């Protein structure tokens, strides 16, 4: 039996690893000052994508639209998929929170405004998974606030309570008076979609090709064989909408072991570092968790931009771990 049912697609999948592999190696080999630019760079790119998406929304996708189709009420920015756009803005928000708080009040306001804009951008994508992931940068912000020793516990608690109350009230007021944000929250009223049906048929397909797999990049070619006739409609599934299921279908047992190995490796490096509660470690860890969580209902690691971000976060975590060991 062949290792891949479509060698051409598998070759494309292999070539797709070029950019993240190079980025991983370059980031690992770079100096501390160079690695320190990664998170601010992500925050800046998030703002750029947000500005691009705002232009798309204002023009109802008649201008600045890089990809055909799409919902004119959803923010896409530089992405073709609103879920990927939402995840990228969550990542940019985590990166912005990790930027050291400047001493000047004016720059503090700029940082706060940047974070609020990125959070609003996530809501405008109307991506339910990305909106739910906003809890991660919220946790990161709370951890950062807790590090400030100038406040006693009572003051920190009062500040946190006030900030959360003001933020929730502000978002509620804006959402009630903004049609697009109202649409984003209305999408939670209908959580049933075709993903569950695709997952059921993907499990059947996994059994067909287990333990070798059908070959990387071949999901769209082989899924139709095992797609239940009751689930067929005018749209192709295209993806399993679950990175882990799609990986196991395409690469079998070897892919599952490799995936678990990466998760164990990142976890082994990260957990000891989190005790220091430093932004340079907390932010990459939370970003990796966000990517992993969305992988259960979408395919963020099939996106070159998100895959490259994951590679750079692994480099940041590994470099910090190496620095601690060498002390």
């Amino acid at each position: 039996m062949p290792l891949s049912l479509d060698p051409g697609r598998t070759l494309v999948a292999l070539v797709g690893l070029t950019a993240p592999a190079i980025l991983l190696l370059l980031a690992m080999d770079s100096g501390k000052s160079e690695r320190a630019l990664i998170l601010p760079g992500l925050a800046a790119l998030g703002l750029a994508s947000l500005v691009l998406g705002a232009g798309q929304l204002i023009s109802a996708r008649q201008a600045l639209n890089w990809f055909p189709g799409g919902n004119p009420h959803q923010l896409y920015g530089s992405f073709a998929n609103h879920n990927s756009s939402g995840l990228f803005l969550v990542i940019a928000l985590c990166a912005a929170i990790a930027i050291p708080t400047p001493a000047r009040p004016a720059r503090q306001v700029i940082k706060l405004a940047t974070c609020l804009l990125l959070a609003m951008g996530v809501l405008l994508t109307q991506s339910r998974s990305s909106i739910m992931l906003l809890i991660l940068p919220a946790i990161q912000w709370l951890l950062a606030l807790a590090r400030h020793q100038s406040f006693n516990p009572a003051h920190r608690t009062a500040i946190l309570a006030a900030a959360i109350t003001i933020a929730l009230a502000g978002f509620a007021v804006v959402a009630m008076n903004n049609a697009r944000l109202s649409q984003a929250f209305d999408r939670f009223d209908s959580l049933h979609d075709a993903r569950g049906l695709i997952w059921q048929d993907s499990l059947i397909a996994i059994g067909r090709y287990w333990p070798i797999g059908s070959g990387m990049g071949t999901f769209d070619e082989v899924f139709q064989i095992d797609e239940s006739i009751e689930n067929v409609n005018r749209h192709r599934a295209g993806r399993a909408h679950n990175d882990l299921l799609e990986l196991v279908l395409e690469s079998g047992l070897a892919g599952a072991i490799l995936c678990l190995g990466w998760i164990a490796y990142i976890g082994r490096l990260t957990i000891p570092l989190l005790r220091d509660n430093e932004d340079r470690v907390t932010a990459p860890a939370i970003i990796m968790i966000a990517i992993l969580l969305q992988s259960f209902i979408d395919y963020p690691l099939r996106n070159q931009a998100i895959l490259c971000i994951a590679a750079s976060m692994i480099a940041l975590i590994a470099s910090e771990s190496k620095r601690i060991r060498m002390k």
Side-chain angles (χ1 to χ4, degrees), residues 236-321:
R236 290 172 69 101
R239 297 287 189 187
H241 296 272
N242 183 310
D243 260 338
L244 305 179
L245 284 179
E246 189 166 339
L247 177 68
V248 175
L249 170 58
E250 294 181 342
S251 58
L253 180 61
I257 294 174
L258 189 59
C259 178
L260 292 175
W262 271 107
I263 294 174
Y265 170 72
I266 297 171
R268 184 178 67 83
L269 294 181
T270 304
I271 292 175
L273 297 176
L274 289 178
R275 297 168 187 163
D276 297 332
N277 192 19
E278 295 289 340
D279 280 327
R280 62 179 180 271
V281 176
T282 304
I286 289 180
I287 288 172
M288 291 301 296
I289 291 172
I291 295 173
L292 177 62
L293 288 177
Q294 196 180 73
S295 294
F296 285 106
I297 59 172
D298 210 66
Y299 41 93
L301 291 177
R302 304 284 171 156
N303 182 296
Q304 279 287 299
I306 304 297
L307 190 59
C308 286
I309 290 172
S312 63
M313 294 303 104
I314 292 172
L316 289 179
I317 293 171
S319 298
E320 187 64 20
S321 177

Side-chain angles (χ1 to χ4, degrees), residues 27 29-38 280 316 320 323:
D29 196 43
S30 62
K32 182 178 179 180
S33 59
E34 295 171 319
R35 290 193 298 271
L37 298 175
I38 293 178
R280 62 179 180 271
L316 289 179
E320 187 64 20
R323 185 186 69 83

Side-chain angles (χ1 to χ4, degrees), residues 1-15 209 212-225 236 249-251 302:
M1 296 182 182
L3 291 178
S4 174
L5 299 180
D6 192 328
R9 284 183 176 269
T10 301
L11 178 61
V12 170
L14 178 62
V15 172
Y209 300 106
I212 301 300
S214 60
M216 292 303 299
T218 62
F219 176 88
D220 195 37
E221 298 298 318
V222 303
F223 176 75
Q224 283 74 26
I225 299 173
R236 290 172 69 101
L249 170 58
E250 294 181 342
S251 58
R302 304 284 171 156

Side-chain angles (χ1 to χ4, degrees), residues 126-141:
Q126 297 189 17
S127 167
R128 290 170 295 190
S129 60
S130 301
I131 292 173
M132 294 298 293
L133 288 175
L134 282 174
I135 188 65
L136 294 177
I139 292 172
Q140 179 187 355
W141 177 71

Side-chain angles (χ1 to χ4, degrees), residues 44-282:
L45 289 174
L47 283 177
S49 184
L50 178 60
V51 171
L52 177 63
Q56 295 168 351
L57 287 176
I58 293 172
S59 65
R61 291 184 67 81
Q62 297 302 309
L64 304 175
N65 185 18
W66 294 359
F67 304 98
N71 188 327
H73 303 296
Q74 296 173 344
L75 188 147
Y76 289 81
S78 57
F79 293 84
N81 182 307
H82 73 124
N83 289 325
S84 297
S85 178
L87 176 61
F88 179 66
L89 292 177
V90 170
I91 291 170
L93 176 56
C94 292
I97 294 173
I99 297 175
T101 302
R104 295 182 180 179
R107 294 185 179 181
Q108 293 178 5
V109 172
I110 292 174
K111 177 180 177 179
L112 178 60
T114 298
C115 294
L116 291 176
L117 284 172
L118 291 171
M120 191 66 68
V122 175
L123 297 178
L124 291 174
T125 64
Q126 297 189 17
S127 167
R128 290 170 295 190
S129 60
S130 301
I131 292 173
M132 294 298 293
L133 288 175
L134 282 174
I135 188 65
L136 294 177
I139 292 172
Q140 179 187 355
W141 177 71
L142 294 177
L143 291 174
L145 190 60
R147 279 199 301 271
H148 289 279
Q149 300 300 323
S150 57
F151 298 109
N152 61 44
H155 286 170
R156 285 202 296 265
T157 302
I159 292 172
L160 289 178
I164 292 173
T165 302
I166 293 171
L168 290 176
F171 277 122
V173 171
V174 173
M176 286 188 295
N177 294 279
N178 187 292
R180 287 193 173 94
L181 292 182
S182 296
Q183 291 173 359
F185 292 114
D186 289 343
R187 294 193 74 234
F188 284 93
D189 293 334
S190 177
L191 294 177
H192 300 289
D193 54 22
R195 285 187 178 91
L197 303 177
I198 295 173
W199 297 341
Q200 293 175 12
D201 293 336
S202 295
L203 289 172
I204 296 173
I206 287 173
R208 176 186 295 273
Y209 300 106
W210 184 264
I212 301 300
S214 60
M216 292 303 299
T218 62
F219 176 88
D220 195 37
E221 298 298 318
V222 303
F223 176 75
Q224 283 74 26
I225 299 173
D226 293 293
E227 186 176 19
S228 301
I229 191 67
E230 307 87 38
N231 301 337
V232 173
N233 56 42
R234 62 191 181 91
H235 300 291
R236 290 172 69 101
R239 297 287 189 187
H241 296 272
N242 183 310
D243 260 338
L244 305 179
L245 284 179
E246 189 166 339
L247 177 68
V248 175
L249 170 58
E250 294 181 342
S251 58
L253 180 61
I257 294 174
L258 189 59
C259 178
L260 292 175
W262 271 107
I263 294 174
Y265 170 72
I266 297 171
R268 184 178 67 83
L269 294 181
T270 304
I271 292 175
L273 297 176
L274 289 178
R275 297 168 187 163
D276 297 332
N277 192 19
E278 295 289 340
D279 280 327
R280 62 179 180 271
V281 176
T282 304

